[in-house]
Amino acid sequence: MAKQLHAQWSSRLTFILAAVGSSVGLGNIWKFPYMTGESGGGAFVLIYLLCILLVGIPILMSEWLLGRIGQRNPISTMASLTARLKRSPAWVLVGVFGILGAYLILSFYSVIGGWALAYIQLGAVNTFTGLEGDAIGALFSDLLASPLRLLLWHSLFMVLTIGVVLGGVTGGLERATKTLMPTLVVLLIVLVGYAAASGAFAEGAAYLFTPDFSKLSSDGVLAAMGHAFFTLSLGMGIMIAYGSYLPKEVNIGRSAIIVVLMDTAIALMAGLAIFPVVFANDLSPGSGPGLIFQTLPLAFGHMPGGWFFGLLFFILLVFAAWTSAISLLEPIVEWLEEKTPLSRVGATLTAGGATWALGIATVLSFNVWADVAPLGVFAKFEGMTIFALLDYFTSKLILPLTGLATVIFVGWRMSREEVRENLNMGETAFGLWRFAARFIAPLGVIVVFIVSL
């Protein structure tokens, strides 16, 4: 029998810190810079910001709204709402795919978080100093080639994540975000200051903020939208779960704007911390996923004080990954805790163990299964490893489509009165949000999908 044990955030501040902690992660520090580099810089950033504003905010508010009304895990929330509103049971798939997306993403997210842990260890013993490009590249290649090392760091990262989620909302999520988020921001400010002294700050800023649309492909546009979902934790059940802990008096609209501004500012600060260092050392910004694991260690290894600041950077990366991993595990745990006889501890260990087990497939896709392409018979997926497929199907399909279904449900299948009452917005602000939720956000997702196909 389902249990009705539901905690709440102790304050609006802790809720915002937790939501920002969920949003600020590898997507900001690892993925945003390398995707910007691959897509030509400023044009990608501009499309990404438009996606955040026109698509991200309406969907973020919709997910919090559903969570606060439902007061349960994402699947049960959609089931109770569809039953009460007499809508098709198929809408429950919004919750199902949200939790599935969180599970799939955390399985490979933890492996990448493990890379960052490994690089803290390498940085702590001053490994990068004096090494040239080939030697730095060999460090990363050797890490990926060793399934045992990857498994060790993946396991350690999952233990850190499980350890926080075991504590519940106030004892785990709140306590962790109150410590990790301010520390993360301070570290990032220090690193931006360091980049400003690199001699190429103006060049890095120009690359980040000067659009060149000739370098932006349709795949780049889809990637920008997918990343807007990824970085705001949309379409993966997290924000519905976090909304279910949200007190009635918290203003959803204002909170959403604060979270989006903080998340976007941190992503741009990450770019300002990384690209000046890249250009100061005549390195390529389009290095792909290895940008911060190959390019930056090379730069840090040849700069005054680079050992110390390189170590700080990878500590920052772990903190960012950790706050997001906690939020990815939470909706899965919430569902298990409410729908099974498992206690919080049992649900957390079960969800964490299942995620760790799936992560082994990502670990092996970099070495033992590097030549395994499960969907290689299709031209679109030729050569895609298990890791590449998980990344593609979550960030470019599951997240946008789940977010699309969410905003359509709230905008078109719920009553205007109930939505406005729960959003607690003025008539003008609510009218703007409703127009964006009913038309701009859905059309934006649909158009980007058509263009990409």
Side-chain angles (χ1 to χ4, degrees):
M1 182 155 179
K3 299 190 287 287
Q4 299 298 321
L5 304 173
H6 225 73
Q8 286 197 330
W9 302 109
S10 62
S11 68
R12 177 171 177 259
L13 176 61
T14 52
F15 163 66
I16 288 175
L17 283 174
V20 173
S22 171
S23 301
V24 174
L26 290 176
N28 299 71
I29 314 297
W30 168 65
K31 202 170 186 182
F32 175 74
Y34 91 69
M35 291 176 74
T36 301
E38 286 184 326
S39 301
F44 175 86
V45 174
L46 181 60
I47 298 298
Y48 163 74
L49 293 177
L50 286 173
C51 289
I52 289 282
L53 177 65
L54 300 176
V55 178
I57 291 178
I59 296 177
L60 176 61
M61 291 174 63
S62 296
E63 293 197 1
W64 282 347
L65 173 76
L66 290 175
R68 184 156 71 179
I69 292 174
Q71 290 289 297
R72 295 174 186 165
N73 68 79
I75 296 174
S76 296
T77 286
M78 293 307 299
S80 65
L81 278 172
T82 52
R84 176 168 64 81
L85 299 173
K86 296 181 171 57
R87 304 303 184 191
S88 168
W91 288 106
V92 175
L93 291 174
V94 168
V96 172
F97 279 102
I99 288 182
L100 175 63
Y103 171 62
L104 296 177
I105 288 170
L106 182 56
S107 73
F108 67 81
Y109 200 95
S110 175
V111 177
I112 299 164
W115 297 355
L117 284 172
Y119 269 64
I120 287 180
Q121 185 260 328
L122 291 173
V125 294
N126 202 13
T127 303
F128 309 130
T129 300
L131 294 184
E132 299 302 329
D134 290 345
I136 290 286
L139 284 177
F140 189 56
S141 298
D142 290 347
L143 174 64
L144 297 190
S146 172
L148 289 179
R149 285 179 66 196
L150 286 184
L151 182 61
L152 169 67
W153 294 114
H154 161 56
S155 302
L156 179 57
F157 188 85
M158 278 305 305
V159 167
L160 291 174
T161 302
I162 290 168
V164 171
V165 178
L166 280 172
V169 175
T170 53
L173 303 181
E174 286 193 3
R175 184 177 297 173
T177 52
K178 282 178 180 178
T179 303
L180 295 176
M181 281 310 302
T183 306
L184 186 152
V185 171
V186 169
L187 287 173
L188 192 52
I189 290 171
V190 170
L191 287 166
V192 170
Y194 177 67
S198 68
F201 192 76
E203 187 179 356
Y207 181 80
L208 198 59
F209 297 116
T210 304
D212 181 356
F213 288 99
S214 66
K215 297 179 180 178
L216 187 66
S217 65
S218 60
D219 276 349
V221 174
L222 179 62
M225 186 185 70
H227 188 61
F229 279 82
F230 189 91
T231 191
L232 289 178
S233 302
L234 302 177
M236 53 184 90
I238 293 172
M239 292 308 178
I240 296 178
Y242 275 25
S244 72
Y245 304 130
L246 190 59
K248 293 286 186 185
E249 63 271 13
V250 173
N251 186 295
I252 286 178
R254 289 178 194 154
S255 300
I257 290 171
I258 292 171
V259 168
V260 166
L261 286 176
M262 291 181 70
D263 175 73
T264 303
I266 288 174
L268 295 176
M269 286 173 68
L272 289 174
I274 290 170
F275 288 120
V277 174
V278 169
F279 289 120
N281 290 270
D282 297 320
L283 302 170
S284 170
S287 303
L291 176 65
I292 60 174
F293 293 102
Q294 292 174 283
T295 303
L296 286 183
L298 177 62
F300 287 131
H302 287 79
M303 297 178 74
W307 168 82
F308 175 72
F309 287 102
L311 182 60
L312 276 188
F313 178 83
F314 288 108
I315 292 173
L316 164 72
L317 190 64
V318 167
F319 276 27
W322 196 5
T323 57
S324 290
I326 291 164
S327 69
L328 284 164
L329 187 58
E330 178 59 30
I332 311 168
V333 171
E334 184 187 31
W335 177 73
L336 283 174
E337 191 179 10
E338 291 179 6
K339 303 301 290 185
T340 72
L342 291 172
S343 64
R344 178 77 184 190
V345 171
T348 304
L349 293 176
T350 300
T355 307
W356 171 84
L358 181 59
I360 295 173
T362 291
V363 165
L364 296 177
S365 71
F366 291 106
N367 36 74
V368 179
W369 293 348
D371 296 324
V372 176
L375 299 181
V377 294
F378 302 101
K380 177 74 174 177
F381 306 114
E382 186 178 355
M384 280 196 182
T385 62
I386 293 172
F387 165 68
L389 287 172
L390 286 171
D391 186 30
Y392 180 88
F393 278 106
T394 52
S395 65
K396 293 187 178 179
L397 293 176
I398 292 178
L399 304 193
L401 290 177
T402 304
L404 173 64
T406 300
V407 80
I408 288 175
F409 182 83
V410 173
W412 291 95
R413 309 308 289 162
M414 294 182 68
S415 72
R416 185 183 191 279
E417 292 71 26
E418 182 176 22
V419 172
R420 186 185 172 189
E421 179 186 347
N422 280 277
L423 287 179
N424 192 24
M425 301 170 71
E427 187 62 39
T428 301
F430 177 72
L432 290 172
W433 173 85
R434 185 170 165 81
F435 180 77
R438 284 164 66 91
F439 299 104
I440 296 177
L443 286 174
V445 177
I446 292 167
V447 166
V448 170
F449 264 96
I450 292 173
V451 168
S452 70
L453 294 174

